[in-house]
Amino acid sequence: MSTERSAGIRIVQAVHGRREAVADPSYQVALAEELKQSYGAAGLVELYGRFIVGDGFVDLLMRKAIWQSVAKSCGCGLQVGSGAGFKHPETFEIGNSVFIGAQAYIQGRYDGRCVIGDNVWIGPQAFLDARDLVIEEFVGWGPGAKILGSSHTGIPVDVPIIRTDLEIKPVRIGAWADIGTNATILPGVTIGQGALVGAGAVVLSDVEPFAVVAGVPAKFLRWRTDCSPAPAKP
């Protein structure tokens, strides 16, 4: 519902993250448990393929139940859009009321760790390299935005680069941060609490809490509260 109009600009009330987490219905909890008992991890991934596309009640229910069954842990209120995929979901720790948009992809690693906090919103077609990733609560992740958590060393130079060792670096996204559409976060970067990353930005280095950055490479623009120095870290 619109609360204000001015010169064609509307302010509307946000929906995601404003509601208290509500427990999933008992039949969904029972289904997730039954799936976990009846299928191994490989079986659940195969089963997921049958329901990955489609927006009907059964498809939505099965996607939620399978994510809950195969993840290391998963809270209530999960929403998973059509075409959303994963790799090594057994390493995922998902909080309450998490939204994962259509065609988003989260790529874990068998020995990795992926933590997604409560009330995180991940837009459609996002890509998360989640080999060592922590996203804290109430983060907004724009459509098409990406995390790269690893890169090849490129050493030695006399072999194809894809044959060189892979260097994995942790990526940390602080609570309340907002990552713009099609932005890219590079390996080893920490985004501070409440920071804003502009659309299409490429972030090469850490971003301070409550800073606003944009551009390629991303540069500091201002503090969100228009004060200097930055607000004290919580």
Side-chain angles (χ1 to χ4, degrees), residues 192-207:
Q193 179 180 2
L196 303 183
V197 175
V202 177
V203 185
L204 308 180
S205 56
D206 293 351
V207 176

Side-chain angles (χ1 to χ4, degrees), residues 151-157 159-167:
S151 60
H152 289 276
T153 63
I155 301 173
V157 297
V159 300
I161 193 166
I162 62 171
R163 288 186 177 178
T164 64
D165 292 340
L166 201 63
E167 183 177 42

Side-chain angles (χ1 to χ4, degrees), residues 87-136:
K87 186 174 183 180
H88 290 296
E90 72 276 11
T91 65
F92 296 178
E93 300 168 50
I94 302 172
N96 294 321
S97 302
V98 170
F99 174 90
I100 301 172
Q103 300 178 39
Y105 192 83
I106 304 177
Q107 178 174 307
R109 180 182 156 91
Y110 69 92
D111 60 351
R113 184 186 185 210
C114 169
V115 178
I116 300 174
D118 295 342
N119 295 293
V120 169
W121 189 94
I122 298 172
Q125 299 182 328
F127 173 77
L128 308 181
D129 181 342
R131 302 161 208 244
D132 187 351
L133 171 65
V134 175
I135 299 178
E136 296 180 351

Side-chain angles (χ1 to χ4, degrees), residues 48 63-71 78 80 86 92 94 100:
Y48 185 74
R63 283 201 293 272
K64 287 190 290 187
I66 292 171
W67 277 71
Q68 289 175 318
S69 299
V70 74
L78 176 68
V80 183
F86 52 62
F92 296 178
I94 302 172
I100 301 172

Side-chain angles (χ1 to χ4, degrees), residues 5-92:
R5 285 178 181 272
S6 178
I9 298 173
R10 294 192 300 154
I11 303 295
V12 298
Q13 189 177 68
V15 175
H16 188 79
R18 297 181 70 97
R19 301 170 180 166
E20 294 294 327
V22 177
D24 293 322
S26 57
Y27 65 82
Q28 181 181 323
V29 176
L31 174 61
E33 184 59 31
E34 182 63 30
L35 291 172
K36 189 173 184 178
Q37 296 299 323
S38 300
Y39 293 81
L44 285 169
V45 172
E46 181 180 355
L47 182 66
Y48 185 74
R50 302 184 192 179
F51 303 97
I52 191 171
V53 176
D55 289 320
F57 173 79
V58 172
D59 296 297
L60 294 171
L61 172 63
M62 290 301 293
R63 283 201 293 272
K64 287 190 290 187
I66 292 171
W67 277 71
Q68 289 175 318
S69 299
V70 74
K72 184 175 182 180
S73 64
C74 184
C76 62
L78 176 68
Q79 299 179 67
V80 183
S82 63
F86 52 62
K87 186 174 183 180
H88 290 296
E90 72 276 11
T91 65
F92 296 178

